[in-house]
Amino acid sequence: MIQTACDTSLPHDSMIVDAHVVVVDDDPRLRRLLQRYLSEQGFRVSAASSAQEARQVLGFMQPDALVLDITMPGENGLELTRELRRENLDFPILLLTARGEPEDRIIGLEAGADDYLAKPFEPRELLLRLKAHLRRFVPPAPSSNLRIVRLGDLEFDPVRGLLSSAGNVVHLTGGESALLSVLARHPNEILSRTDIATTLDMEEIGERAVDVQVTRLRRRIEPDPREPRFLQTVRGKGYVLKPGL
């Protein structure tokens, strides 16, 4: 359930104007509370009580973000997350669960989620996390210091946050795009797991979550993820992105 507070609102933000969030939870009370709260904060909100209903919603529109309960009858949230990622749907997915152990959070990230929130939670925290993930999809201000990064047959544009191959977009999740953006801004520079976790607001989950994101990103950019050429591990220090052909 949601923990309530006297004032859980935040000033409206231009980044969430017209942003569409789909809330999926089999608890009707929680679903109504989330729908009402997020609507009050400026989101457009759709709700579903199961993975099946969520698929019906997703069948005619792609949301800006998905808030998804893990424990539901039938297809659970983890299974739905994995399937959506296999379909290359790259909007942020925030999982809700009654289990908040670090290992459970890692399992959610491995499934393809961008974030993980344990019940009970503060509505304001959910709002802040949603806005943080939506922010990753807003292109940063152009900079003359940011150039296209070549990774073999792939090109990554740090300004637009787009990975492409021969002009075709390669789908990345929000977490994968955020990680590649951080690394692309520091090519050939070793970044520690701590620095990456801090930049990506993943300190709460820990450094292992960074390793999970690195593993996922390697599947996108490496010819052979088991023998990485571009995203390399520097033992005892962290990771380094080495662009090249």
Side-chain angles (χ1 to χ4, degrees):
M1 62 181 295
I2 296 180
Q3 292 179 337
T4 58
C6 294
D7 183 6
T8 58
S9 64
L10 290 174
H12 280 219
D13 192 319
S14 60
M15 80 174 61
I16 63 175
V17 173
D18 290 329
H20 194 157
V21 178
V22 176
V23 175
V24 188
D25 198 299
D26 64 327
D27 182 339
R29 178 175 177 273
L30 177 58
R31 197 168 60 247
R32 287 193 298 269
L33 286 171
L34 286 178
Q35 189 169 19
R36 183 180 63 190
Y37 175 72
L38 292 176
S39 296
E40 291 172 350
Q41 301 306 315
F43 290 97
R44 291 181 294 122
V45 186
S46 298
S49 62
S50 66
Q52 182 179 4
E53 284 190 15
R55 289 183 180 282
Q56 294 174 355
V57 174
L58 298 175
F60 62 84
M61 53 81 66
Q62 178 166 319
D64 296 291
L66 184 68
V67 177
L68 175 61
D69 185 35
I70 288 183
T71 307
M72 297 185 295
E75 185 179 15
N76 65 39
L78 288 175
E79 293 167 341
L80 179 58
T81 297
R82 292 189 186 100
E83 186 59 32
L84 294 176
R85 293 314 190 201
R86 280 195 288 267
E87 296 171 6
N88 288 324
L89 296 176
D90 56 359
F91 46 78
I93 298 177
L94 194 155
L95 294 177
L96 303 178
T97 180
R99 303 176 62 183
E101 296 300 320
E103 185 62 30
D104 297 316
R105 301 185 181 207
I106 293 298
I107 292 172
L109 292 173
E110 289 176 335
D114 296 283
D115 210 339
Y116 192 108
L117 195 58
K119 301 177 181 178
F121 57 86
E122 292 283 354
R124 191 168 187 262
E125 181 179 5
L126 173 64
L127 178 62
L128 289 170
R129 287 175 182 255
L130 275 174
K131 291 172 68 174
H133 289 294
L134 289 170
R135 189 177 295 114
R136 293 173 180 169
F137 284 78
V138 178
S143 169
S144 59
N145 296 324
L146 297 178
R147 299 180 179 179
I148 298 296
V149 176
R150 292 293 303 274
L151 304 168
D153 295 331
L154 299 171
E155 293 185 349
F156 182 69
D157 184 342
V159 173
R160 301 169 63 199
L162 291 179
L163 182 67
S164 62
S165 176
N168 298 314
V169 173
V170 177
H171 291 281
L172 297 174
T173 67
E176 292 164 354
S177 178
L179 174 59
L180 186 53
S181 293
V182 171
L183 294 167
R185 282 167 168 74
H186 304 274
N188 299 305
E189 179 180 337
I190 299 172
L191 300 181
S192 71
R193 289 173 172 83
T194 300
D195 288 340
I196 295 173
T198 299
T199 303
L200 298 181
D201 297 322
M202 300 171 70
E203 303 101 315
E204 181 183 349
I205 306 176
E207 295 181 1
R208 187 179 169 196
V210 175
D211 298 334
V212 171
Q213 293 285 18
V214 166
T215 298
R216 286 169 47 183
L217 181 57
R218 279 174 172 161
R219 293 177 187 146
R220 306 282 192 178
I221 67 174
E222 298 286 357
D224 183 357
R226 295 168 299 180
E227 298 290 338
R229 291 170 47 197
F230 307 119
L231 179 44
Q232 298 183 10
T233 302
V234 181
R235 188 176 299 276
K237 295 184 178 181
Y239 295 103
V240 58
L241 186 69
K242 294 188 173 183
L245 300 177

